[in-house]
Amino acid sequence: MTNYHFSRRDALRATALLGASTLLGPTSPLIAAKMPPKGKTPPLSAAETGAIEAALGKKGTYVEAQATHTTPLPRNDLKLTIKGEPVPISFGFGGWVAVKKTLDGKSAVLMSDTVLLQEEVNPLISAAHANGLEVGAIHNHFFYEEPRIFYMHIHGIGSVEELARKYAATIKGSKLFPANQPPAGPAPARTGKELFDLPSLDAIVKYTGAVNGPTYKYTVGRDDLQVLAMGAEMTAAIGLNSWASFAGTTDAAHIAGDMAMLENEVNPVIRALRANNLEVVAVHNHMLGDQPRIIFLHYYGRGPAAQLAKGFRAALNQLGQSKSLDTMRH
């Protein structure tokens, strides 16, 4: 029975990918012509990660277990408020660009999430297209923020060096380029470690988060799934994750985050969030041509940090519940 499930799932995925290729047309680089075999992603070499960092003028992080190099692109030039209350950039206003190889090792894939003012969106679209990259999604992540912020997902396929050059050229004339950003500023008087009861939050969420200045963030991958896009395996380091970021204090906290869901998980997650008084802010795609298709949901809430953490945990509990063929066909 196990072998039947595997072959049936692969057949369904391959059929879905062929359908997506037909819709996208013959010129799109999203047409990963054949479903790549399962296997370990080939690593990036030191020369390849060096090429990325040289093009962007900034050091990144290489996650060896996922063979993915990620560069953070925070918008330190912005001063953000939510409902009139200042919030730190690390709460959810930091973009990123990540690069990894396809499973067959013949090319690499770039994924990026960019933080943009309204007037910056269309110039960046034009720059991306001029440099041979594509736009996968444009959407909000928040309500009530000032100034209003939009998020654009950009992707491409090619050699590592080629993608690094194309992406650097795309963002060079914008505030996204690291050299065009002001310094992050002085360290906060109190970090997330002092502002929140971290052991208590970790016990609720059942994961360990990471302190980032005055915020505390959980990032949870979808290790129960194999998701492919453009021939590469999507993992937490390249954007396939659910997350929750905390700002404020233990008694008066903000939470913002994202849930990475199969289609049949969307409404169970929505019900769990609403049952815990968290606001659903957006439901949308981040990627094109992903198999199975992943839907992302952004949420926001205010209240005691422990209460907000329970809402995030309740949403996480809705993920990976169904192992049936009906789930896998998505």
Side-chain angles (χ1 to χ4, degrees), residues 30-163:
L30 284 175
I31 302 173
K34 294 182 180 179
M35 185 66 65
K38 284 187 175 182
K40 185 175 175 63
T41 299
L44 296 175
S45 68
E48 288 170 327
T49 60
I52 298 169
E53 293 176 350
L56 293 174
K58 183 175 182 176
K59 294 286 288 183
T61 300
Y62 183 62
V63 180
E64 186 174 357
Q66 299 176 46
T68 302
H69 183 278
T70 302
T71 306
L73 301 172
R75 288 299 300 264
N76 296 323
D77 58 307
L78 299 177
K79 303 294 182 185
L80 273 299
T81 64
I82 294 180
K83 292 188 175 181
E85 183 175 330
V87 290
I89 294 301
S90 57
F91 183 51
F93 302 98
W96 51 268
V97 59
V99 178
K100 73 184 302 183
K101 290 186 178 178
T102 55
L103 282 175
D104 63 13
K106 294 179 180 179
S107 58
V109 165
L110 176 146
M111 295 279 186
S112 176
D113 193 5
T114 55
V115 179
L116 303 168
L117 297 169
Q118 295 175 84
E119 61 270 22
E120 295 172 334
V121 171
N122 279 281
L124 191 64
I125 292 173
S126 297
H129 283 173
N131 286 287
L133 300 178
E134 292 190 340
V135 175
I138 302 169
H139 45 237
N140 65 299
H141 285 190
F142 288 89
F143 290 155
Y144 319 119
E145 84 279 17
E146 293 290 342
R148 195 175 186 203
I149 299 296
F150 283 86
Y151 295 76
M152 182 190 300
H153 293 263
I154 294 172
H155 58 238
I157 187 166
S159 71
V160 173
E161 295 82 359
E162 176 187 18
L163 290 172

